[in-house]
Amino acid sequence: VARWADARHALRPLGLSPILCEAERRGERGITVEFLMESHACRPFRAYARGLLLGDLSVATIEEGSNRLAQSKALMALEYVLQHSNHGQVKKVLEALEEFAVKVLKPSRQWFKIAAGAKGLVVERALRRAPEGACLEIGTYVGFTAIRCAAGRAPNGRVVSLEVDPEHAVVAQCMALHAGVGRQVEVWTGHSGDVIRSLPERYPGWTPRFAMVFMDQCGSRFWADLELLIREDMLLPGAVILADNVLKPGAPLFLWQLFHGRGRELFSQRQLISLEEFAMPGVEDCMAMAIYNPDGMAMAGADKAPPAEVSALEFEADQVRAKAATSGSVPFEDWSVFAARSGTQETGVRRSYILAARPGKAPKTQPMVMV
């Protein structure tokens, strides 16, 4: 089927990722490499994909002739990282990604969705608080946080990362290999709900239970995916849950459930962490952190219906998120206005504590006026 679609130029670049990854898992490396070398869809990036499969990124170059490639922030970022860091340099890889956001994208006022700067400090704090065990990331993008988590749990810490976009999945796998943590980071492509349910089948001999979950997918999926992990018993007691971008683009339903719904019984030490969005001066965002308490299951009832205002704001967040995914993106000023609206009482979140974090400085706990 893949060859038939490729012959008719019906495959989008990197859309072969799930097929190639599955063939690689089955040990059919020769077939995958052969297909990569002859595929029309793979031509502009075949060196990356071939390097991924062979474990040799020294051959990585981008070929000319792809308008899609020129528009891809993920592939541009990969090229930048390969040019500005050497294999096995985790710190340099992460710094190169931050530098790409600041020097390449920021001048054209484009957002690069990575948890860098002050957000990176929060991720490291969450890693230190989490018990021993594997990390789950939902929403890999280019692999920035997956690499950070793998380095923080080195040398044997496992990071399972889920990504719905095949292009981003391949780029992230290349990034992890280049950073030297390819054996720790495993990227699975597909819809988060489907992949979560299939994890036990993908790991025979290991029961997937996670010490930390970092959620960076579509905000409207946060609460549904978290409930699925609980139902499937995939969270260790004391697991740290960290959700990014809960203010911008926003996750109103997730916040309401976490602070006012079942989350009040299922999670302790619930915090909303306010900070400036990385490489987006003057735009506030928030991360939400909580500790899983399985003993609260007995007291947690069914999901409560959120107020109509929360559902309306959830719809608005989805609209802004969809606009941000287009080539025109969303101006920084519009992000700032939306973030200010999302932080009002419409979410129903009474923020009892907030961590004020500035880029380059460690977060400090301080009380915040109730909203």
Side-chain angles (χ1 to χ4, degrees):
V1 173
R3 293 181 187 278
W4 178 87
D6 184 63
R8 289 157 179 77
H9 300 274
L11 285 178
R12 58 170 294 209
L14 291 176
L16 295 168
S17 172
I19 299 172
L20 299 181
C21 288
E22 178 63 18
E24 170 70 1
R25 188 181 68 82
R26 295 181 181 183
E28 300 172 354
R29 177 168 295 183
I31 295 175
T32 57
V33 172
E34 178 185 351
F35 189 87
L36 286 169
M37 298 309 293
E38 65 183 35
S39 167
H40 296 292
C42 291
R43 184 179 63 82
F45 59 90
R46 62 171 57 124
Y48 285 127
R50 186 173 186 274
L52 169 67
L53 292 171
L54 299 179
D56 179 13
L57 289 179
S58 63
V59 299
T61 57
I62 291 181
E63 297 182 20
E64 299 292 335
S66 172
N67 293 331
R68 171 77 176 90
L69 188 65
Q71 298 172 3
S72 170
K73 285 189 283 189
L75 282 170
M76 289 169 60
L78 179 56
E79 182 180 27
Y80 190 93
V81 167
L82 292 172
Q83 292 173 349
H84 292 82
S85 63
N86 295 322
H87 174 73
Q89 297 181 322
V90 171
K91 184 178 179 181
K92 289 291 186 182
V93 168
L94 297 179
E95 288 176 350
L97 281 168
E98 292 189 351
E99 190 176 88
F100 171 77
V102 173
K103 292 187 176 181
V104 178
L105 296 183
K106 183 181 175 182
S108 58
R109 304 182 73 76
Q110 295 185 65
W111 181 33
F112 195 45
K113 195 179 185 300
I114 59 174
K119 289 186 173 184
L121 298 177
V122 177
V123 172
E124 291 178 355
R125 180 168 177 252
L127 281 170
R128 291 194 297 269
R129 294 184 64 178
E132 291 295 320
C135 297
L136 173 67
E137 177 185 43
I138 310 178
T140 316
Y141 193 33
V142 296
F144 183 87
T145 299
I147 292 171
R148 185 187 292 276
C149 290
R153 295 267 162 152
N156 300 315
R158 168 178 272 164
V159 179
V160 177
S161 191
L162 317 182
E163 173 56 50
V164 71
D165 190 309
E167 176 174 301
H168 298 162
V170 171
V171 168
Q173 290 172 78
C174 290
M175 290 280 194
L177 276 171
H178 183 62
V181 294
R183 292 187 179 275
Q184 292 176 249
V185 176
E186 298 160 322
V187 183
W188 297 101
T189 309
H191 186 277
S192 56
D194 295 334
V195 179
I196 289 172
R197 292 185 184 89
S198 70
L199 285 179
E201 300 174 7
R202 296 170 187 259
Y203 292 101
W206 177 61
T207 301
R209 299 190 78 202
F210 300 100
M212 175 180 165
V213 178
F214 179 66
M215 297 194 294
D216 201 17
Q217 72 275 40
C218 176
S220 60
R221 289 290 314 168
F222 283 3
W223 186 250
D225 287 340
L226 190 53
E227 282 207 307
L228 178 58
L229 289 168
I230 294 172
R231 286 199 304 271
E232 299 293 327
D233 193 26
M234 290 186 180
L235 297 180
L236 292 170
V240 175
I241 309 301
L242 182 62
D244 194 12
N245 303 123
V246 298
L247 185 64
K248 178 198 76 65
L253 178 60
F254 166 77
L255 288 179
W256 192 88
Q257 290 288 1
L258 183 64
F259 284 87
H260 292 278
R262 297 184 71 223
R264 298 180 65 177
E265 307 297 339
L266 294 171
F267 299 95
S268 63
Q269 301 180 44
R270 292 162 291 131
Q271 296 175 326
L272 200 57
I273 305 165
S274 175
L275 24 66
E276 185 177 79
E277 178 61 272
F278 173 67
M280 196 174 284
V283 178
E284 182 191 12
D285 192 20
C286 288
M287 304 175 84
M289 186 187 298
I291 308 298
Y292 177 54
N293 174 28
D295 294 336
M297 286 291 292
M299 296 179 287
D303 274 354
K304 299 179 181 179
E309 293 83 358
V310 174
S311 299
L313 196 58
E314 181 84 1
F315 174 78
E316 187 176 345
D318 281 338
Q319 297 298 109
V320 173
R321 190 177 292 110
K323 183 178 179 182
T326 64
S327 57
S329 193
V330 177
F332 284 13
E333 295 79 8
D334 289 359
W335 275 127
S336 184
V337 171
F338 182 75
R341 271 184 41 73
S342 298
T344 67
Q345 59 186 9
E346 289 177 290
T347 60
V349 177
R350 301 177 66 82
R351 295 184 275 188
S352 25
Y353 292 96
I354 193 164
L355 300 179
R358 295 189 179 91
K361 296 184 179 180
K364 296 180 180 179
T365 303
Q366 66 178 38
M368 178 186 177
V369 177
M370 309 290 263
V371 296

